[in-house]
Amino acid sequence: MTYQLALSLISGIFIAGSAAYLGTLMLSRKMAVIAGPLGHLALPGAALAIVYGFSISLGAFPFVVLGIIVIWLLEIRTKLAMEALTAIVFATGVAIAFLFLPIDKAEAALVGDISKVGIYDTLASMVLGTLVVVIINRSYSKILLINIHEDVAKTEGIDVKLYNLIYLSSIAIIVALGVDLVGGLMTAALVAIPAAAARNVSRTLGQFGATAGLFGIASAALGIVLSTITALPAGPLVILASGIIFLATVPVSRAW
Amino acid sequence: MNDILLEVKDFGVTLDNTPVLSGLNFTVTEGEFLTVLGPNGSGKTVLLRSLLGLIPHTGEMNWHKKPRIGYLPQGLNQVSVRDMPLTVKDIFGLKELKPAEGVTFLELVGLEGDIINKRAGHLSGGEFQRMLVAWVLASHPNILFLDEPTTAIDVAGGETVYSLIKEIWQRKGLTIFNVTHDLNIVYAHSTHVLCLSRFGHRCYGIPKEILTPDVLRDIYGAEVKLYTH
């Protein structure tokens, strides 16, 4: 195994594993779709990073945070359906990205470029991915109770604003990291597909989180290894691998 | 004579610049089974949610003793948990309760202890509602807020849940603040009733003393007949 492949695998595994674990919570709130527009909003940041030669995740992060604030404010102010906001945010993000992004360099922003990840980005993926898993794990029952019934959570003394902030910050970190792995177009899949596959085969909450993480890790490893063999981009192969895992779980679905 | 637990004076709630409740006065004494009765849109749930601190209000709300609140809201049903692979044990875990504690409360509401390992989405409607009652009681409340707790189940199941709540209320000396539009519940289970209407008519007292046909007509805006069996 080459040094570069090792870095790519380590980054991919940490990003995809933590994204999938977070995805189990996003599925409960039907929020997996939000990762889509956030990924798209990350595109201008990714474009700037490519043009000025710094980390794509670092460029994406402030734009994702901005995206979360924009979606949150738009929802409060306009009461528009999330689907409408998704369309607005998606189009705006992509339009801004293509104003800055040289078209010959677009691929990395659109479908990710984990095959060229450096040591510092790998370390950042390890630290931030682990941080998100630890924080979400400690807050899981409270965030899930908020997702199931916010009023009950409040009467149980849960600080809903604090946990929503923790939840949204975790989403921002994961989307920014995800842009590096699978690009701005497919971050929602990184969050949603392994979680959906895990739901098909899990009977308990514990199994759900662990299986989602494993499916995320397996998708990343499979996609990155296939990419080195076929010389095709890793991002789409990672998503394709998770799609195949999802399809494999459908016949044994325990949902109903 | 029991002590006053909650005193409400000149209480009002305004939502989107529209007054929903105003000038409301009542007290809740310890051990009381108070039912808030009224037609849809009379502000019953608004009152309950504002007493829980979930909606801002005007006027005074004084707890004479520190409440330990248990809340069973409207709309918390199997659909709410169907998206997730949640066992009954997981649902008790949301309140960081140990499985053994969960089993104790499940048995208290007449369910088998081993139901704790079942998927919540696989329980019958009646079992799920009983499980929710156990889940609420597991927080060791001294006052239960119930908002139409039987809307998701059939009439027989609903009556069973109310009989269960009444039995636990008597056994544990709880105070109950119950919201319903069902007049039969008031007569069968409540010690006190607070009536709200869309037309500003109110009443408060012991059901058999104050719920006269004239009062019910004022509250519901039409003739109301009660069928007793």
Side-chain angles (χ1 to χ4, degrees):
Chain A
M1 191 193 297
T2 64
Y3 174 68
Q4 182 58 60
L5 177 60
L7 289 184
S8 302
L9 273 174
I10 292 168
S11 293
I13 282 168
F14 273 89
I15 295 169
S18 49
Y21 183 56
L22 180 66
T24 60
L25 271 178
M26 295 181 76
L27 218 57
S28 79
R29 210 176 194 178
K30 296 187 172 65
M31 269 182 71
V33 71
I34 285 184
L38 288 178
H40 303 139
L41 253 193
L43 283 172
L48 285 175
I50 289 168
V51 170
Y52 292 103
F54 59 93
S55 158
I56 288 182
S57 289
L58 203 62
F61 188 71
F63 282 84
V64 176
V65 171
L66 181 73
I68 282 177
I69 294 168
V70 166
I71 288 178
W72 181 63
L73 286 176
L74 283 177
E75 200 188 7
I76 290 171
R77 293 286 301 178
T78 65
K79 309 274 183 210
L80 272 170
M82 195 57 80
E83 292 85 341
L85 294 175
T86 303
I88 295 163
V89 170
F90 165 83
T92 312
V94 174
I96 295 171
F98 283 109
L99 279 182
F100 296 107
L101 188 63
I103 207 73
D104 57 317
K105 289 182 179 170
E107 187 181 326
L110 293 177
V111 298
D113 195 6
I114 202 76
S115 61
K116 293 193 186 78
V117 71
I119 180 70
Y120 294 114
D121 279 351
T122 304
L123 286 173
S125 303
M126 291 170 72
V127 171
L128 291 172
T130 307
L131 189 72
V132 166
V133 169
V134 169
I135 289 174
I136 289 296
N137 183 260
R138 292 177 74 110
S139 322
Y140 203 97
S141 58
K142 293 186 173 68
I143 296 174
L144 184 54
L145 188 54
I146 293 169
N147 290 358
I148 290 173
H149 206 294
E150 194 171 309
D151 282 355
V152 172
K154 282 180 182 166
T155 55
E156 288 292 318
I158 293 172
D159 186 340
V160 171
K161 281 182 187 160
L162 172 71
Y163 283 95
N164 272 339
L165 182 68
I166 291 172
Y167 184 46
L168 289 174
S169 306
S170 301
I171 294 172
I173 293 171
I174 288 300
V175 169
L177 292 175
V179 171
D180 224 1
L181 177 60
V182 297
L185 292 182
M186 294 183 290
T187 40
L190 203 60
V191 170
I193 298 179
R199 180 182 175 274
N200 282 345
V201 296
S202 303
R203 209 184 66 82
T204 69
L205 209 53
Q207 287 173 6
F208 187 34
T211 315
L214 281 177
F215 284 165
I217 288 168
S219 308
L222 206 62
I224 291 166
V225 169
L226 278 174
S227 165
T228 57
I229 296 168
T230 60
L232 290 167
L237 289 172
V238 169
I239 300 303
L240 214 57
S242 67
I244 289 166
I245 290 172
F246 175 78
L247 285 178
T249 62
V250 172
V252 290
S253 174
R254 292 184 179 194
W256 285 102
Chain B
M1 185 81 181
N2 286 343
D3 294 337
I4 289 174
L5 182 62
L6 172 66
E7 194 174 10
V8 173
K9 282 184 194 166
D10 197 23
F11 193 87
V13 178
T14 300
L15 298 176
D16 290 331
N17 297 321
T18 308
V20 180
L21 295 168
S22 60
L24 206 54
N25 297 289
F26 62 92
T27 53
V28 181
T29 50
E30 279 187 310
E32 188 170 310
F33 193 131
L34 172 67
T35 291
V36 182
L37 179 74
N40 292 338
S42 57
K44 305 184 296 293
T45 296
V46 168
L47 172 62
L48 182 145
R49 294 186 72 234
S50 56
L51 291 179
L52 289 173
L54 301 168
I55 311 175
H57 66 85
T58 55
E60 286 181 42
M61 180 178 78
N62 300 316
W63 290 99
H64 287 219
K65 283 185 181 172
K66 187 174 164 54
R68 292 189 311 277
I69 290 168
Y71 174 35
L72 188 53
Q74 200 173 11
L76 180 55
N77 51 42
Q78 279 165 301
V79 177
S80 341
V81 299
R82 205 170 274 177
D83 289 335
M84 300 286 281
L86 283 167
T87 60
V88 174
K89 191 195 289 176
D90 290 329
I91 289 186
F92 278 91
L94 295 179
K95 289 188 177 178
E96 282 156 21
L97 292 160
K98 294 196 165 61
E101 284 180 276
V103 168
T104 306
F105 284 97
L106 288 169
E107 287 173 350
L108 180 73
V109 299
L111 291 168
E112 298 285 333
D114 59 8
I115 213 169
I116 198 155
N117 292 315
K118 274 197 174 180
R119 274 281 286 271
H122 292 179
L123 303 180
S124 71
E127 284 176 331
F128 187 83
Q129 213 62 18
R130 276 171 178 260
M131 184 272 292
L132 283 183
V133 173
W135 187 62
V136 171
L137 290 172
S139 305
H140 300 282
N142 61 359
I143 180 162
L144 277 187
F145 284 82
L146 311 170
D147 190 0
E148 308 268 11
T150 58
T151 42
I153 45 181
D154 60 29
V155 175
E159 183 46 43
T160 311
V161 166
Y162 266 111
S163 299
L164 169 71
I165 289 169
K166 189 175 182 182
E167 188 194 322
I168 293 166
W169 162 66
Q170 286 167 333
R171 207 186 321 165
K172 291 195 165 267
L174 293 170
T175 306
I176 293 192
F177 190 96
N178 175 50
V179 161
T180 186
H181 60 266
D182 186 348
L183 199 50
N184 293 297
I185 300 299
V186 182
Y187 283 110
H189 303 293
S190 309
T191 58
H192 291 78
V193 61
L194 171 68
C195 320
L196 299 176
S197 88
R198 288 192 294 264
F199 318 104
H201 301 289
R202 287 181 193 145
C203 65
Y204 173 68
I206 295 167
K208 283 181 182 159
E209 291 176 4
I210 61 159
L211 290 180
T212 61
D214 287 345
V215 167
L216 290 173
R217 194 186 317 111
D218 287 343
I219 297 297
Y220 284 93
E223 289 294 333
V224 177
K225 287 181 179 158
L226 178 70
Y227 296 96
T228 49
H229 303 282

